[in-house]
Amino acid sequence: MSIDKSAKIYVAGHRGLVGSAVVRKLQSLGFSNLLLRTHSDLDLTVQSSVDAFFAAEKPQYVILAAAKVGGIYANNTYPADFITINLQIQTNVITSSFSHGVKKLLFLGSSCIYPKFAPQPIPESALLTGPLEPTNEWYAIAKIAGIKMCQAYRLQFGFDAISAMPTNLYGPNDNFHPENSHVLPALLRRFHEAKVRGDERVVVWGSGTPLREFLHVDDLADAVVFLLENYSGLGHVNVGSGKEVSIKELAELVKEVVGFEGELVWDSTKPDGTPRKLMDNSMIESLGWKPKISLKDGLGGTYKWYLENVRQ
C-alpha cells in the first residue's frame, strides 16, 4: 500500500542520525504533514506528556527513531540510563500509539540485539539464541523488549507494529566526537585532521583484517518508507548493505576521499575486535528492497557534510 502524502506522520528522534534521514526522505517524497518535536518540546520518557501529545495530535503513522545511544564507554559508565531511558521512550510511544489509534508504527533497533557469537551473516532467527555482547547489553535488552512489545501488541490487539534492525550506519548528522564516535566517522575525522596538520602518517589500531558492513543512513531511510508501505509481519527485519569491507579497505577509502597524502600505518599490538560482523539481508531483499548508495559515494557525501558542519 502506498501512504497518502498528506497523512500525519510522527518521526520520534528527528534530530538524530536516523530520524533526520527519515525526515529528509519523507520530505523528498512529498510528505507534507510531518509531526516533529525536539526533546525540549516533548520528553518521551514522561508518560503523561507523551499521552497528551498523542491525544492532541493523533498521528496516523509513527516512526520510532528516538533512543539513548552511545559507545562502549558510555554503556559501561551509565548502564542504568541506557536500559531505563530506552525502555521508557519505547514503552510510552508504543502504548500511546496503540491507545490513540495510530495505523502503523515502525520501531527501529540495532544489530547489537544479536548474540555475541551469532552465525555470520546474522539471520533474524538468531535473536535470543545466545548471550549478548556484555559491553552494550543494557541498550540491547531494551531494544529486544521493544521488538517483543511490537509483537505482543500485534498478537493481542492486531496492532500493526513492525521492527527494523539496521546494521552499522553512517552519513550526515553522525557523531564525529574524537573519543566516542564509531569507526567510520572516527577515521574520517582523523584523516582530515592529519591532512590539515600535514602529518606524515596516520596510525590505525589493529591489523585491518576485521570485516564490517556499513549502510548509508539515506538507504536506511529509504528502507523505512519501503517497510511502512510493504511489510506487516510479526518478525523484525534486518536492514543491511549486504556488502562486507575490511577495516583496511575502509581506512584506505577514507584516506582517498579525504585526500590525505601521507602513510597509513597499522598498530597490530592493538586489539581488532570481532573478526566479522554482517547482517543477513535476504529477508528484505526478498520483499524487493536493496540499497543504492556505494560506500565510496556515501563516504564522499559524508566528508562534504563534515567539512560544512563539524570541522572546527
Side-chain angles (χ1 to χ4, degrees):
M1 57 148 204
S2 64
I3 299 171
D4 184 345
K5 296 287 191 284
S6 64
K8 197 182 261 196
I9 303 176
Y10 172 45
V11 182
H14 74 282
R15 283 188 165 173
L17 173 65
V18 174
S20 60
V22 169
V23 169
R24 282 197 303 276
K25 184 74 198 172
L26 290 168
Q27 287 173 337
S28 76
L29 292 169
F31 287 92
S32 56
N33 200 357
L34 302 185
L35 262 182
L36 309 172
R37 292 290 184 278
T38 63
H39 179 72
S40 55
D41 293 332
L42 175 61
D43 184 344
L44 294 175
T45 66
V46 179
Q47 189 183 8
S48 55
S49 303
V50 175
D51 210 60
F53 165 74
F54 272 83
E57 294 293 346
K58 294 264 194 294
Q60 292 161 279
Y61 296 90
V62 173
I63 297 162
L64 181 40
K68 180 171 178 62
V69 296
I72 292 171
Y73 173 79
N75 270 270
N76 277 339
T77 315
Y78 310 109
D81 292 357
F82 276 90
I83 194 163
T84 307
I85 291 169
N86 284 304
L87 284 171
Q88 286 171 329
I89 289 172
Q90 63 206 35
T91 303
N92 293 341
V93 173
I94 294 167
T95 54
S96 289
S97 293
F98 171 67
S99 60
H100 293 286
V102 165
K103 268 189 195 172
K104 188 167 192 173
L105 177 142
L106 186 144
F107 172 69
L108 279 150
S110 147
S111 57
C112 75
I113 60 161
Y114 290 114
K116 182 172 182 165
F117 300 110
Q120 300 291 335
I122 309 171
E124 284 88 355
S125 58
L127 183 65
L128 296 174
T129 58
L132 298 163
E133 168 60 60
T135 52
N136 60 12
E137 68 176 346
W138 319 105
Y139 176 76
I141 288 281
K143 286 294 177 185
I144 292 168
I147 295 171
K148 290 293 162 191
M149 196 163 168
C150 288
Q151 292 178 343
Y153 271 74
R154 180 178 292 278
L155 292 169
Q156 190 173 331
F157 302 113
F159 180 44
D160 194 0
I162 60 172
S163 301
M165 300 300 121
T167 188
N168 301 315
L169 300 166
Y170 73 99
N173 291 311
D174 205 345
N175 169 19
F176 291 87
H177 191 279
E179 269 82 63
N180 60 16
S181 55
H182 293 120
V183 59
L184 191 151
L187 285 171
L188 263 175
R189 181 175 185 136
R190 289 190 57 203
F191 278 104
H192 171 75
E193 289 177 349
K195 175 180 143 180
V196 170
R197 284 192 305 262
D199 294 355
E200 285 177 14
R201 63 174 58 91
V202 167
V203 179
V204 183
W205 278 26
S207 65
T209 54
L211 296 165
R212 293 293 181 268
E213 174 188 32
F214 298 97
L215 182 72
H216 194 285
V217 71
D218 289 346
D219 272 334
L220 172 63
D222 187 61
V224 161
V225 177
F226 176 85
L227 289 169
L228 271 178
E229 295 194 327
N230 296 286
Y231 180 75
S232 284
L234 183 66
H236 63 283
V237 182
N238 285 347
V239 186
S241 65
K243 292 189 173 68
E244 283 181 293
V245 60
S246 71
I247 297 296
K248 187 172 190 295
E249 291 169 290
L250 175 68
E252 285 166 354
L253 203 51
V254 170
K255 178 178 185 279
E256 183 189 333
V257 163
V258 170
F260 175 69
E261 303 288 345
E263 191 188 357
L264 170 53
V265 180
W266 294 92
D267 180 358
S268 51
T269 65
K270 296 289 195 291
D272 261 341
T274 311
R276 185 180 190 217
K277 193 175 175 203
L278 173 72
M279 306 268 268
D280 183 335
N281 221 22
S282 49
M283 184 170 164
I284 194 167
E285 281 179 0
S286 73
L287 294 168
W289 182 86
K290 54 176 185 289
K292 301 175 182 68
I293 302 167
S294 73
L295 185 57
K296 189 170 181 182
D297 289 348
L299 279 173
T302 304
Y303 183 50
K304 184 171 182 288
W305 185 88
Y306 172 82
L307 291 176
E308 289 166 2
N309 294 276
V310 182
R311 180 174 55 105
Q312 308 312 318

